[in-house]
Amino acid sequence: MVEDDKTTIQSSDRSIVIEGISKVDLEKTLTQSEDQQIQKELDPAATDPRNPKNWSKLKKWRNFGIVFCNAFIGYFTSSIYMPAIGDLQQYFGTTLTIMNITIALYVLAMAIAPLFWSPLSERIGRRGVYIIAMAIYTVTTIICGISKNLVLFFVMRVLQGVFSSAGMTVGGGTVADLFMVHERGKIMSLLTLGTVTGPAVGPLVGGYIAKYLGWRWIFYICTIIGGTLFLANVLFLRESLYRPNEDGFFSQKNGTKKTIKERLAYLKFDPFRGLALLLHPAALLTCLPLSISFGWFYFLVAILSPTYSEIYHFDQGSLGLLYLTGVFFCLPVIIAGNLMYGWFIHARLHWFAPLVGYFLMSLGTMYGNVIGTSYLIEVYIHIAASALSTANFSRNLMAMVFTLISVPIRQGLGDGWAYTLSALISFGVYIICIPIVYFYAERLRNSTHKKN
């Protein structure tokens, strides 16, 4: 319907008046330069060169590439020594269950530490967090490589998990800093892809390193990678946190420099405040099924090496190749993968047959986490880093739990029924949680906001 009245768009210092034209037609006839000028007047940040969203594509992608590598290294390091777990078990004179605890503690550290990294990055900036975390990660990794007793190895693995987790969590905030809303879905998928492929790529590399160079070189090479990333963070990474109208770590929003006391006060925060998102039904119901499927995925990954060593007599290099199956990317796929892997192992079929099930389980788990994480980032965009840390906490908490119980459950139920249990639990949480989020998410969010 065309309006005959005058249509007026006003900016801060002028108005555009066109007679006899509808508002829809008017929007179509505005030139790009006029549109940009109005946008600039209404929102100065839209054309501020300091705003990372206005950086060149090359600068954005260079920063994202470095952040991607920081995020990837966490899960890559979590699983890289899995094919050599027997060598470490023999060297330290312990059991497989105890060695799995080193994996579980690492994953637990990756669950808790992001609760601190996220709010810290909102105060001192993203770049400072990346630099500090990667520097200490590199130091703890070399100490893991030269450890001669199990206690030191345990402690360094926990610290390694703490400082390797920064890239995964703060990375979500960086993506929100750099990219517009219509770009973020694709970019977040790439970032999440890097974190969920780490457990598959790590053992592939670690298996051949352990076979030809020994298990210590797994950590030496991770040290080289960490050192390289530290230099990249220092030399090429740029700060992406942009808050021109808010207080910063060094100065007030009016430009006045802060005293040391004021800076220390600014650093105070409640690290567990981000977990309050789990009180939001929409966030909880999104995280729960993804976390449980990720936990069962780590259940499989933690005992994949001993399973194939025991039944199919694979060497370290071949064990590493097994994990590559999981690189290629929900519910039906996860269920089918669990059942196929468990019962094919139980039936002692050819070694390739269970890998088809592992491939399907990995596909479903990775795809579900990519989509779920992207959803949480968009819904809670104003606290993107905290949303990502909450998802990361729930996911890694389940990974830690299922890593610890993997050996006793397999011994108690056998391969077939252990993975049938995995399929049943995954089916239950997905079929309950995901439909509720799909149909009632907006109502749940509105209800939570009113209560708060």
Side-chain angles (χ1 to χ4, degrees):
M1 179 176 177
V2 176
E3 299 175 1
D4 293 329
D5 297 336
K6 291 182 179 180
T7 302
T8 304
I9 291 183
Q10 293 186 334
S11 62
S12 60
D13 62 349
R14 76 187 194 288
S15 61
I16 303 171
V17 182
I18 299 179
E19 297 187 34
I21 188 167
S22 69
K23 290 183 179 180
V24 174
D25 291 337
L26 175 61
E27 292 174 358
K28 292 180 180 178
T29 57
L30 280 172
T31 64
Q32 185 178 11
S33 61
E34 288 174 329
D35 203 20
Q36 289 176 343
Q37 181 62 26
I38 293 171
Q39 180 65 24
K40 179 179 179 180
E41 292 169 351
L42 295 176
D43 181 13
T47 53
D48 186 348
R50 296 174 302 167
N51 185 349
K53 291 184 174 66
N54 298 323
W55 289 353
S56 67
K57 286 187 177 181
L58 177 62
K59 190 174 181 179
K60 286 183 180 181
W61 281 98
R62 182 186 68 204
N63 277 263
F64 174 74
I66 297 172
V67 169
F68 177 90
C69 293
N70 278 267
F72 176 80
I73 196 69
Y75 280 113
F76 176 80
T77 309
S78 75
S79 61
I80 190 171
Y81 70 89
M82 285 181 179
I85 204 81
D87 289 349
L88 277 88
Q89 179 184 339
Q90 183 178 0
Y91 178 83
F92 290 118
T94 187
T95 64
L96 177 61
T97 300
I98 296 298
M99 289 312 303
N100 276 348
I101 291 176
T102 67
I103 301 172
L105 289 176
Y106 181 97
V107 175
L108 178 62
M110 288 198 300
I112 296 175
L115 301 175
F116 294 82
W117 290 127
S118 295
L120 184 62
S121 75
E122 302 286 345
R123 285 161 175 75
I124 68 170
R126 320 290 192 197
R127 182 172 178 267
V129 169
Y130 291 127
I131 291 174
I132 294 169
M134 194 50 60
I136 302 179
Y137 163 84
T138 304
V139 173
T140 57
T141 303
I142 189 65
I143 297 176
C144 280
I146 63 176
S147 296
K148 293 185 178 180
N149 67 77
L150 189 59
V151 174
L152 179 62
F153 185 78
F154 261 65
V155 173
M156 289 301 107
R157 278 294 286 173
V158 172
L159 292 176
Q160 199 182 33
V162 168
F163 292 99
S164 68
S165 65
M168 294 176 289
T169 309
V170 182
T174 301
V175 170
D177 296 338
L178 291 173
F179 297 98
M180 303 297 288
V181 63
H182 63 278
E183 301 172 303
R184 280 198 293 263
K186 178 178 68 175
I187 309 302
M188 274 306 305
S189 296
L190 289 175
L191 182 69
T192 309
L193 181 64
T195 63
V196 296
T197 54
V201 177
L204 171 66
V205 176
Y208 282 103
I209 293 174
K211 181 177 180 179
Y212 294 108
L213 299 175
W215 68 265
R216 292 188 185 277
W217 269 97
I218 292 175
F219 296 98
Y220 297 157
I221 289 176
C222 284
T223 302
I224 295 171
I225 296 172
T228 303
L229 279 176
F230 169 73
L231 292 176
N233 291 340
V234 172
L235 298 176
F236 304 112
L237 191 65
R238 295 293 173 260
E239 181 56 63
S240 65
L241 186 65
Y242 174 74
R243 291 180 175 175
N245 298 319
E246 297 182 20
D247 288 351
F249 178 65
F250 293 102
S251 62
Q252 308 282 357
K253 60 184 177 182
N254 60 9
T256 306
K257 288 188 176 181
K258 287 185 173 180
T259 64
I260 294 177
K261 184 177 180 180
E262 288 174 329
R263 291 177 188 177
L264 292 176
Y266 186 72
L267 286 178
K268 291 181 180 179
F269 59 84
D270 180 3
F272 300 103
R273 185 178 180 182
L275 290 182
L277 279 179
L278 292 177
L279 300 178
H280 293 214
L284 176 62
L285 293 172
T286 302
C287 289
L288 184 61
L290 302 179
S291 301
I292 289 178
S293 65
F294 193 76
W296 280 110
F297 174 71
Y298 254 82
F299 175 96
L300 187 157
V301 166
I303 55 175
L304 182 65
S305 291
T307 300
Y308 266 74
S309 297
E310 170 192 328
I311 296 174
Y312 299 111
H313 309 293
F314 275 38
D315 62 20
Q316 288 175 326
S318 300
L319 287 172
L321 284 173
L322 294 177
Y323 292 88
L324 186 61
T325 312
V327 173
F328 305 98
F329 303 84
C330 192
L331 176 61
V333 181
I334 292 174
I335 292 173
N338 272 292
L339 294 175
M340 290 171 64
Y341 180 86
W343 290 106
F344 287 173
I345 288 283
H346 179 81
R348 301 296 191 267
L349 299 183
H350 185 271
W351 62 264
F352 183 77
L355 287 186
V356 176
Y358 173 52
F359 163 77
L360 292 175
M361 185 181 180
S362 301
L363 176 73
T365 302
M366 292 174 183
Y367 181 76
N369 273 279
V370 167
I371 298 301
T373 303
S374 300
Y375 167 77
L376 288 173
I377 290 293
E378 289 305 319
V379 171
Y380 301 101
I381 188 61
H382 56 293
I383 48 170
S386 294
L388 193 58
S389 69
T390 300
N392 181 74
F393 173 81
S394 61
R395 185 171 62 224
N396 285 314
L397 185 64
M398 288 297 176
M400 183 270 295
V401 170
F402 283 98
T403 298
L404 289 175
I405 64 176
S406 59
V407 173
I409 284 184
R410 183 186 176 223
Q411 291 174 346
L413 297 179
D415 293 299
W417 285 111
Y419 291 98
T420 300
L421 178 64
S422 170
L424 290 173
I425 292 177
S426 297
F427 175 79
V429 293
Y430 265 86
I431 207 68
I432 293 171
C433 297
I434 298 304
I436 293 175
V437 174
Y438 186 84
F439 291 107
Y440 303 107
E442 186 174 1
R443 186 183 304 176
L444 291 171
R445 289 197 302 272
N446 291 337
S447 174
T448 305
H449 290 323
K450 289 178 180 178
K451 289 179 181 178
N452 290 337

